[in-house]
Amino acid sequence: MTVLSNWIGGSFMSAGNVEKLDVYCPLDGQVIAQVPLCHETHVDQAVQAARAAFPAWSALPIKERAQVFYAYRNLLMEHEEELADLVRQENGKTLDEARAEVKKSIEVTEFACALPQLAAGEVMEVSRGVECRTDHLPLGVVACITPFNFPNMVPNWTIPNALCLGNTMVLKPSELVPLSALRLADLLHQAGLPDGVFNVVHGGRAVVESICDHPGIDAVTFVGSTKVAKLVYARATSHLKRALALGGAKNHLIVLPDAHPEMTATNVAASMSGCAGQRCMAASAMVGVGDVEHIVDGVVQEARKVVPGMNLGAVISAEAKARIERYINEAEEQGAVIKLDGRNAHVPGFDGGYYVGPTVIDHVKPDMAVAREEIFGPVLSIIRADNVDEAIKIENANPYGNAAAVFTQSGGMADYVRERASAGMFGVNIGVPVPREPFSFGGWNESKFGVGDITGKSSIEFFTKLKKTTRKWNPEARTNWMS
Ligand code: NAD
């Protein structure tokens, strides 16, 4: 059985004699590797390597650093199929979903290639012979902690931008999906990234806590559940680090009776079932306003076409499967109507896999757990509302704020809901309203802690500090009221 190593200073480094965790392929429940549960000594090794690499890397002009990401982007393209297959094996999503994930990594990397233009400073003659200029300077060593649901894409939300802007990095991937991160390290190496600029340390809570506490780390990004996002944000900022922590979600799609039936049904079904519902942008609750019976029927019909083992992957673990099924059982006991039941799903030939079929639960009351809590599985809770204001009230009452959407053919109603929904990313007739580059990704409320977003133009502010210079060379330039 392969025991994974850390990636430190440009090569694999064994974690030594530490506890190991089995890594399962969710598709069949087979063990595919063992991941070491590292601790503060390993974090320190990685930080030392990242600090040593920082002076030379940050001194390069940004246009030179960007060359590495042109090469990296081409390598991602060249290895797209292999990278997608690795994601499929460790995460359990379908190959098509894994390909889409790698495509998004490529798009983010292309954005990083444009950073020399986008992160250029400004210059202005503010009075005769006196000039002000700004420069975006790197912070130093940044640490990024990532979740299980996008082993390739979420690390790439930060890798190209943070590094192209001149930082060096320690990545702590989810211990459930540690393989893709190492492959990315290898491709970065092939792309010409100098040793030590990018490092990977495996593990769980102990590594995360050491990252938050380590004095050699300047900034921390986190993507994962809200519970851990809060802990990481509080701990990292208590050590005066810059931090951005993205948390969980409970995304509400508001469906009005005039919505295009087919378009709505396909979008809602794809949103709730894609990646087995394990997307922070997935539809979790549909709020049907007034008479939407025909649309509910359409959603069930579309969801029925999503079949485990064919166009639906597995959920991440046996525990996740049990948790999701518990939510469905509880809703049924409380009187909700199970219109499509994905419990006890089984894929012939993949007996050990963790499958849950698409599940549609109708007549859910807003106080039920399936309406309030993040389920993170292919489960849609349908809540009925008499009018649009009641629907907005239900959406607003949920503590998260990653995404929301409205389905309608009325531009006026779409704007009415858009202005009142309490979510950072909003869709009009779109079930997964992920902003494409250069637009940034980030939610509101309990879905994000910290200022700014993790990708797009917003990431320039997060990963750099601004130096403001005022200068004059002309001795004749007179002093004035300010300069
Ligand atoms: P998680 O919070 O369990 O784990 C995320 C990371 O935190 C992992 O690297 C893990 O090792 C570490 N971790 C886990 N428990 C910890 C603890 N007690 N102390 C310190 N570190 C700990 O999340 P997950 O299950 O891997 O991912 C699913 C969650 O991520 C969902 O809630 C989903 O909504 C969220 N997510 C959010 C976004 C977003 O952009 N907002 C994107 C993807 C996933």
Side-chain angles (χ1 to χ4, degrees), residues 215-226:
I217 293 176
D218 300 285
V220 176
T221 69
F222 171 89
V223 181
S225 62
T226 291

Side-chain angles (χ1 to χ4, degrees), residues 270-474:
S271 177
M272 59 79 76
S273 64
C275 296
Q278 300 176 123
R279 287 189 287 197
C280 65
M281 296 295 281
S284 185
M286 168 180 144
V287 189
V289 177
D291 182 10
V292 290
E293 218 52 51
H294 59 302
I295 299 177
V296 171
D297 289 347
V299 170
V300 173
Q301 229 172 45
E302 285 301 321
R304 219 182 277 286
K305 296 178 192 164
V306 180
V307 180
M310 288 175 63
N311 52 355
L312 178 66
V315 297
I316 189 68
S317 61
E319 294 77 41
K321 176 177 158 72
R323 185 196 66 235
I324 296 162
E325 294 190 340
R326 253 199 323 274
Y327 272 112
I328 305 169
N329 294 343
E330 193 187 302
E332 188 175 41
E333 282 157 23
Q334 291 173 343
V337 181
I338 314 292
K339 287 227 154 128
L340 185 63
D341 192 351
R343 287 171 289 188
N344 305 315
H346 174 244
V347 175
F350 293 85
D351 294 339
Y354 318 129
Y355 295 95
V356 181
T359 301
V360 179
I361 313 178
D362 200 359
H363 299 290
V364 166
K365 300 287 171 232
D367 61 344
M368 293 180 183
V370 285
R372 289 183 293 107
E373 295 171 19
E374 181 176 40
I375 302 171
F376 226 51
V379 179
L380 182 72
S381 302
I382 302 181
I383 306 167
R384 304 299 186 119
D386 289 335
N387 54 59
V388 71
D389 289 317
E390 190 189 332
I392 292 168
K393 215 165 141 191
I394 292 168
E395 190 282 330
N396 286 179
N398 102 79
Y400 298 98
N402 221 36
V406 65
F407 287 80
T408 176
Q409 298 191 64
S410 153
M413 285 313 288
D415 266 353
Y416 187 84
V417 179
R418 186 178 70 86
E419 284 165 16
R420 289 162 180 78
S422 184
M425 293 172 278
F426 190 77
V428 177
N429 298 321
I430 290 188
V432 186
V434 173
R436 301 281 301 269
E437 276 25 67
F439 299 97
S440 61
F441 188 100
W444 290 357
N445 311 328
E446 299 256 304
S447 293
K448 193 188 72 187
F449 306 92
V451 178
D453 289 336
I454 200 160
T455 62
K457 289 182 193 162
S458 194
S459 70
I460 300 172
E461 303 310 320
F462 183 79
F463 287 119
T464 63
K465 53 193 177 193
L466 207 55
K467 178 162 276 184
K468 287 75 60 178
T469 304
T470 306
R471 60 184 177 186
K472 64 182 170 194
W473 297 106
N474 175 0

Side-chain angles (χ1 to χ4, degrees), residues 145-149 154 157 172-175 203-205 208-209 222-226 228 231 246-249 280 374 376 402 441 447:
I145 302 154
T146 54
F148 78 80
N149 61 336
V154 173
W157 276 356
K172 204 297 283 174
S174 165
E175 62 275 40
R205 181 178 175 166
V208 172
E209 291 180 351
F222 171 89
V223 181
S225 62
T226 291
V228 185
L231 293 172
L246 274 57
C280 65
E374 181 176 40
F376 226 51
N402 221 36
F441 188 100
S447 293

Side-chain angles (χ1 to χ4, degrees), residues 4-5 21-24 32-36 86 90-91 146-148 151 171-184 200-203:
L4 303 178
S5 293
L21 201 69
D22 287 338
V23 180
Y24 297 92
I32 50 175
Q34 286 196 313
V35 63
L86 193 56
E90 63 177 343
N91 171 275
T146 54
F148 78 80
L171 174 72
K172 204 297 283 174
S174 165
E175 62 275 40
L176 303 179
V177 294
L179 297 161
S180 291
L182 292 179
R183 189 70 186 104
L184 296 179
V200 179
V201 178
H202 294 292

